[in-house]
Amino acid sequence: MHYFQYHDSELYCEEVPLRRIAESVGTPFYIYSHGTLKRHFEAFDGAFQGLERLVCYSAKANSSQAILRLFARLGGGLDIVSGGELFRGLQAGIAPGKIVYSGVGKRIDEIDYALQTGIRMLNLESVEELHLVHQRAETLGKRAPIAIRVNPDVDPLTHPYISTGLKKNKFGIDTAAALEAYRLAATLPWVDIVGIDCHIGSQITQAAPFRDALASLMELIRELAQTGIRIRTLDMGGGLGITYNDEQPPDPADYGKAVREALAGTELALILEPGRVLVGNAGVLVTRVLYRKTGDSKEFVIVDAGMNDLLRPSLYDAYHHVQPVVHPQGGARMVADVVGPICESGDFLARNREMAPVNSGDLLAVMSAGAYGYSMSSNYCSRLRVAEVMAAGNRFEVIRRRETYADLVAGESVPGFLA
Ligand code: LLP
């Protein structure tokens, strides 16, 4: 459920027509619905009611300060994968004790930053990392609260680039080795074993992979208990999918039920790291049609947003609905490629798409773009990163201004020998 609806043939975000925002901020821009974000967070969190839980929103999905602040206000924590995300989280007012840190390649400075800040848990992904974290904790005189990220070898049945819980993936430590890693951790004086963690992939649209992963983790928790290692916290990661086209993912309540069943009779505290399910359908990318062009065998709609603004179609061949911001009156539907201005054939937002007829100057809404949209955008081709806007009721505000040409060269310098 989201608050992007048509009224009288015009697409609105809550009570604001997207056309009005385009007139005010120009195109392209990302627009997020405050009411949808809030509703998604509450529905997700509510699915685990009664359990001791912390919803650590996965910052990588969309790390805008306004969104982090909103989730923080609703009681959320943060799942981070870099020092930069830690900085963003702290800036947004998220308490360090609500931040968890996963990632296969944490650098020393990032580990130190996390230890000094006093975050809730570092999810460790290799034995070498465990040794390093222990050593840094001792050096800094700050104990390290850790979990081992277990790779349960479960097929999440998703796009290969975003599946993470298979043996062949670089993530986590496989179950047998994890047992050893915990035994080792138990001997390291500056490390506190607080939890166990997994994250098996993203855009998962079935409950079974989650159930399998949970079963595998619960088994490991029992084995650990037998060797005297008590796990207090289970971090389930993220991964719950959303509807982009016709997918029918489990809703948060079903997902919550599966987790509840697995945890029954335990005293485990639960951490969840949802990203996409909270923000994906709460955001839209609005772009303007620059030209139409009829090729030999194809119709092209050339728009002012490109793969640098929304990479998902190019990278994963991902599907996003493309809808007119103002529904045309009449006219035959057409089949077209919606493409951007970038000098690559992979620069498309939709291919062979049946859509309402559009003309140059029209606005299009690329739907379900709230997750991994802006956060994966770049300055490729020296294109300016777009504006982000948030609407609530009949108000809207820019939450990140469009970049300027000056921003493009702001961090650069010419070496003395070229002066
Ligand atoms: N926790 C960890 C450790 C993760 O690696 C991820 C996502 C999440 C949580 C959040 O997963 P979510 O709930 O959003 O599925 N760029 C890709 C998605 C990559 C996901 C990476 N990790 C895309 O656009 O589909």
Side-chain angles (χ1 to χ4, degrees), residues 58-93:
S58 193
K60 59 183 77 70
N62 187 323
S63 56
S64 300
Q65 288 288 290
I67 292 179
L68 299 191
R69 177 66 63 97
L70 167 61
F71 291 151
R73 278 199 182 180
L74 296 172
L78 202 66
D79 156 50
I80 60 167
V81 71
S82 69
E85 286 185 348
L86 177 52
F87 176 77
R88 280 187 170 282
L90 297 173
Q91 284 287 110

Tab-separated table of all heavy atoms in Angstrom, residues 58-93:
chain	number	residue	atom	x	y	z
A	58	SER	N	17.838	-0.673	7.047
A	58	SER	CA	19.084	-0.845	6.298
A	58	SER	C	19.373	0.413	5.489
A	58	SER	O	18.751	0.666	4.455
A	58	SER	CB	18.961	-2.073	5.387
A	58	SER	OG	20.235	-2.409	4.905
A	59	ALA	N	20.338	1.183	5.969
A	59	ALA	CA	20.592	2.518	5.416
A	59	ALA	C	20.900	2.492	3.919
A	59	ALA	O	20.597	3.447	3.209
A	59	ALA	CB	21.749	3.171	6.166
A	60	LYS	N	21.484	1.390	3.442
A	60	LYS	CA	21.911	1.371	2.045
A	60	LYS	C	20.750	1.527	1.067
A	60	LYS	O	20.926	1.979	-0.048
A	60	LYS	CB	22.686	0.077	1.748
A	60	LYS	CG	21.874	-1.181	2.005
A	60	LYS	CD	22.696	-2.433	1.767
A	60	LYS	CE	23.656	-2.736	2.892
A	60	LYS	NZ	23.027	-3.191	4.168
A	61	ALA	N	19.547	1.167	1.513
A	61	ALA	CA	18.397	1.257	0.610
A	61	ALA	C	18.093	2.708	0.255
A	61	ALA	O	17.709	3.013	-0.879
A	61	ALA	CB	17.173	0.595	1.248
A	62	ASN	N	18.260	3.578	1.226
A	62	ASN	CA	18.045	5.015	1.000
A	62	ASN	C	18.485	5.738	2.255
A	62	ASN	O	17.836	5.642	3.291
A	62	ASN	CB	16.566	5.313	0.728
A	62	ASN	CG	16.354	6.762	0.318
A	62	ASN	OD1	17.014	7.662	0.830
A	62	ASN	ND2	15.445	6.981	-0.602
A	63	SER	N	19.609	6.429	2.164
A	63	SER	CA	20.205	6.955	3.400
A	63	SER	C	19.972	8.446	3.585
A	63	SER	O	20.727	9.109	4.289
A	63	SER	CB	21.698	6.626	3.425
A	63	SER	OG	22.321	7.123	2.268
A	64	SER	N	18.941	8.987	2.970
A	64	SER	CA	18.651	10.413	3.133
A	64	SER	C	18.376	10.724	4.609
A	64	SER	O	17.703	9.949	5.295
A	64	SER	CB	17.426	10.797	2.309
A	64	SER	OG	17.698	10.526	0.963
A	65	GLN	N	18.888	11.841	5.049
A	65	GLN	CA	18.749	12.222	6.459
A	65	GLN	C	17.292	12.262	6.905
A	65	GLN	O	16.961	11.834	7.995
A	65	GLN	CB	19.399	13.602	6.686
A	65	GLN	CG	20.905	13.567	6.619
A	65	GLN	CD	21.516	12.875	7.827
A	65	GLN	OE1	21.490	13.390	8.932
A	65	GLN	NE2	22.037	11.686	7.632
A	66	ALA	N	16.419	12.774	6.046
A	66	ALA	CA	15.013	12.909	6.436
A	66	ALA	C	14.396	11.538	6.707
A	66	ALA	O	13.599	11.376	7.634
A	66	ALA	CB	14.233	13.638	5.336
A	67	ILE	N	14.757	10.558	5.883
A	67	ILE	CA	14.189	9.215	6.052
A	67	ILE	C	14.763	8.556	7.311
A	67	ILE	O	14.038	7.956	8.104
A	67	ILE	CB	14.426	8.373	4.780
A	67	ILE	CG1	13.583	8.971	3.640
A	67	ILE	CG2	14.098	6.904	5.012
A	67	ILE	CD1	13.716	8.278	2.307
A	68	LEU	N	16.075	8.710	7.513
A	68	LEU	CA	16.678	8.141	8.727
A	68	LEU	C	16.043	8.775	9.971
A	68	LEU	O	15.748	8.098	10.959
A	68	LEU	CB	18.191	8.371	8.740
A	68	LEU	CG	19.013	7.758	7.596
A	68	LEU	CD1	20.507	7.844	7.907
A	68	LEU	CD2	18.631	6.311	7.345
A	69	ARG	N	15.823	10.082	9.899
A	69	ARG	CA	15.243	10.786	11.044
A	69	ARG	C	13.824	10.290	11.328
A	69	ARG	O	13.444	10.054	12.474
A	69	ARG	CB	15.253	12.298	10.767
A	69	ARG	CG	14.606	13.157	11.835
A	69	ARG	CD	15.383	13.116	13.148
A	69	ARG	NE	16.711	13.678	12.960
A	69	ARG	CZ	17.045	14.927	13.241
A	69	ARG	NH1	16.144	15.753	13.711
A	69	ARG	NH2	18.279	15.355	13.060
A	70	LEU	N	13.067	10.096	10.262
A	70	LEU	CA	11.693	9.619	10.433
A	70	LEU	C	11.674	8.255	11.130
A	70	LEU	O	10.955	8.054	12.113
A	70	LEU	CB	10.995	9.533	9.065
A	70	LEU	CG	9.674	8.758	9.013
A	70	LEU	CD1	8.625	9.393	9.922
A	70	LEU	CD2	9.144	8.699	7.583
A	71	PHE	N	12.489	7.325	10.631
A	71	PHE	CA	12.489	5.982	11.238
A	71	PHE	C	13.025	6.026	12.672
A	71	PHE	O	12.573	5.280	13.539
A	71	PHE	CB	13.282	4.991	10.384
A	71	PHE	CG	12.622	4.675	9.059
A	71	PHE	CD1	13.377	4.330	7.947
A	71	PHE	CD2	11.243	4.709	8.923
A	71	PHE	CE1	12.768	4.031	6.728
A	71	PHE	CE2	10.618	4.418	7.715
A	71	PHE	CZ	11.393	4.077	6.613
A	72	ALA	N	14.000	6.896	12.908
A	72	ALA	CA	14.528	7.028	14.277
A	72	ALA	C	13.405	7.477	15.216
A	72	ALA	O	13.256	6.968	16.323
A	72	ALA	CB	15.685	8.020	14.317
A	73	ARG	N	12.617	8.434	14.751
A	73	ARG	CA	11.506	8.933	15.577
A	73	ARG	C	10.486	7.857	15.869
A	73	ARG	O	9.788	7.910	16.884
A	73	ARG	CB	10.785	10.047	14.838
A	73	ARG	CG	11.457	11.359	14.973
A	73	ARG	CD	10.431	12.386	14.622
A	73	ARG	NE	11.003	13.710	14.686
A	73	ARG	CZ	10.303	14.791	14.431
A	73	ARG	NH1	9.040	14.684	14.083
A	73	ARG	NH2	10.868	15.961	14.517
A	74	LEU	N	10.366	6.904	14.949
A	74	LEU	CA	9.402	5.819	15.154
A	74	LEU	C	10.001	4.699	16.007
A	74	LEU	O	9.407	3.639	16.166
A	74	LEU	CB	8.934	5.278	13.794
A	74	LEU	CG	8.166	6.289	12.918
A	74	LEU	CD1	7.910	5.730	11.529
A	74	LEU	CD2	6.836	6.674	13.576
A	75	GLY	N	11.220	4.912	16.475
A	75	GLY	CA	11.835	3.944	17.376
A	75	GLY	C	12.840	3.027	16.708
A	75	GLY	O	13.364	2.101	17.337
A	76	GLY	N	13.109	3.266	15.444
A	76	GLY	CA	13.991	2.372	14.696
A	76	GLY	C	15.464	2.591	14.978
A	76	GLY	O	15.880	3.670	15.400
A	77	GLY	N	16.237	1.548	14.708
A	77	GLY	CA	17.689	1.634	14.724
A	77	GLY	C	18.185	1.615	13.292
A	77	GLY	O	17.411	1.853	12.353
A	78	LEU	N	19.467	1.285	13.094
A	78	LEU	CA	20.048	1.343	11.759
A	78	LEU	C	20.977	0.160	11.523
A	78	LEU	O	21.729	-0.246	12.406
A	78	LEU	CB	20.830	2.650	11.613
A	78	LEU	CG	21.063	3.141	10.188
A	78	LEU	CD1	19.742	3.528	9.524
A	78	LEU	CD2	22.009	4.336	10.179
A	79	ASP	N	20.904	-0.388	10.302
A	79	ASP	CA	21.867	-1.386	9.838
A	79	ASP	C	22.795	-0.674	8.876
A	79	ASP	O	22.344	-0.079	7.905
A	79	ASP	CB	21.105	-2.526	9.140
A	79	ASP	CG	21.983	-3.269	8.139
A	79	ASP	OD1	23.104	-3.663	8.518
A	79	ASP	OD2	21.557	-3.452	6.985
A	80	ILE	N	24.107	-0.734	9.167
A	80	ILE	CA	25.074	0.000	8.340
A	80	ILE	C	26.096	-0.944	7.718
A	80	ILE	O	26.275	-2.080	8.170
A	80	ILE	CB	25.820	1.066	9.173
A	80	ILE	CG1	26.594	0.398	10.339
A	80	ILE	CG2	24.842	2.111	9.713
A	80	ILE	CD1	27.586	1.310	11.018
A	81	VAL	N	26.758	-0.457	6.672
A	81	VAL	CA	27.779	-1.258	5.996
A	81	VAL	C	29.065	-0.449	5.762
A	81	VAL	O	29.970	-0.903	5.095
A	81	VAL	CB	27.211	-1.856	4.680
A	81	VAL	CG1	27.013	-0.789	3.614
A	81	VAL	CG2	28.075	-2.995	4.142
A	82	SER	N	29.108	0.754	6.345
A	82	SER	CA	30.313	1.573	6.148
A	82	SER	C	30.391	2.639	7.231
A	82	SER	O	29.396	2.946	7.901
A	82	SER	CB	30.267	2.269	4.777
A	82	SER	OG	29.240	3.257	4.764
A	83	GLY	N	31.581	3.230	7.348
A	83	GLY	CA	31.740	4.358	8.256
A	83	GLY	C	30.847	5.517	7.838
A	83	GLY	O	30.308	6.234	8.673
A	84	GLY	N	30.683	5.681	6.543
A	84	GLY	CA	29.831	6.761	6.035
A	84	GLY	C	28.394	6.608	6.513
A	84	GLY	O	27.744	7.586	6.894
A	85	GLU	N	27.900	5.367	6.494
A	85	GLU	CA	26.527	5.148	6.970
A	85	GLU	C	26.431	5.352	8.485
A	85	GLU	O	25.406	5.792	8.993
A	85	GLU	CB	26.025	3.763	6.548
A	85	GLU	CG	25.705	3.707	5.054
A	85	GLU	CD	25.077	2.391	4.587
A	85	GLU	OE1	25.069	1.410	5.356
A	85	GLU	OE2	24.610	2.356	3.441
A	86	LEU	N	27.517	5.012	9.198
A	86	LEU	CA	27.513	5.273	10.648
A	86	LEU	C	27.401	6.774	10.884
A	86	LEU	O	26.584	7.242	11.688
A	86	LEU	CB	28.790	4.699	11.286
A	86	LEU	CG	28.984	4.945	12.784
A	86	LEU	CD1	27.773	4.528	13.598
A	86	LEU	CD2	30.234	4.230	13.296
A	87	PHE	N	28.202	7.533	10.159
A	87	PHE	CA	28.164	8.993	10.275
A	87	PHE	C	26.760	9.522	9.981
A	87	PHE	O	26.212	10.326	10.729
A	87	PHE	CB	29.186	9.609	9.313
A	87	PHE	CG	29.160	11.100	9.288
A	87	PHE	CD1	29.734	11.842	10.316
A	87	PHE	CD2	28.537	11.776	8.246
A	87	PHE	CE1	29.691	13.232	10.293
A	87	PHE	CE2	28.492	13.171	8.222
A	87	PHE	CZ	29.068	13.900	9.251
A	88	ARG	N	26.176	9.053	8.886
A	88	ARG	CA	24.822	9.496	8.512
A	88	ARG	C	23.810	9.185	9.619
A	88	ARG	O	22.958	10.001	9.936
A	88	ARG	CB	24.359	8.784	7.248
A	88	ARG	CG	24.917	9.369	5.993
A	88	ARG	CD	24.260	8.707	4.773
A	88	ARG	NE	24.628	9.432	3.587
A	88	ARG	CZ	24.091	10.582	3.216
A	88	ARG	NH1	23.119	11.112	3.945
A	88	ARG	NH2	24.495	11.209	2.150
A	89	GLY	N	23.918	7.982	10.177
A	89	GLY	CA	22.984	7.567	11.220
A	89	GLY	C	23.098	8.451	12.450
A	89	GLY	O	22.097	8.895	13.013
A	90	LEU	N	24.341	8.724	12.851
A	90	LEU	CA	24.548	9.560	14.035
A	90	LEU	C	24.055	10.975	13.775
A	90	LEU	O	23.405	11.595	14.627
A	90	LEU	CB	26.030	9.558	14.433
A	90	LEU	CG	26.603	8.186	14.844
A	90	LEU	CD1	28.112	8.268	15.046
A	90	LEU	CD2	25.921	7.642	16.101
A	91	GLN	N	24.337	11.480	12.568
A	91	GLN	CA	23.860	12.820	12.187
A	91	GLN	C	22.340	12.918	12.288
A	91	GLN	O	21.789	13.955	12.603
A	91	GLN	CB	24.240	13.127	10.732
A	91	GLN	CG	25.659	13.484	10.485
A	91	GLN	CD	25.989	14.875	10.997
A	91	GLN	OE1	26.709	15.011	11.975
A	91	GLN	NE2	25.454	15.913	10.375
A	92	ALA	N	21.678	11.798	11.950
A	92	ALA	CA	20.216	11.793	11.940
A	92	ALA	C	19.640	11.564	13.341
A	92	ALA	O	18.424	11.503	13.510
A	92	ALA	CB	19.696	10.732	10.979
A	93	GLY	N	20.524	11.392	14.310
A	93	GLY	CA	20.056	11.279	15.692
A	93	GLY	C	19.747	9.863	16.142
A	93	GLY	O	19.010	9.659	17.110
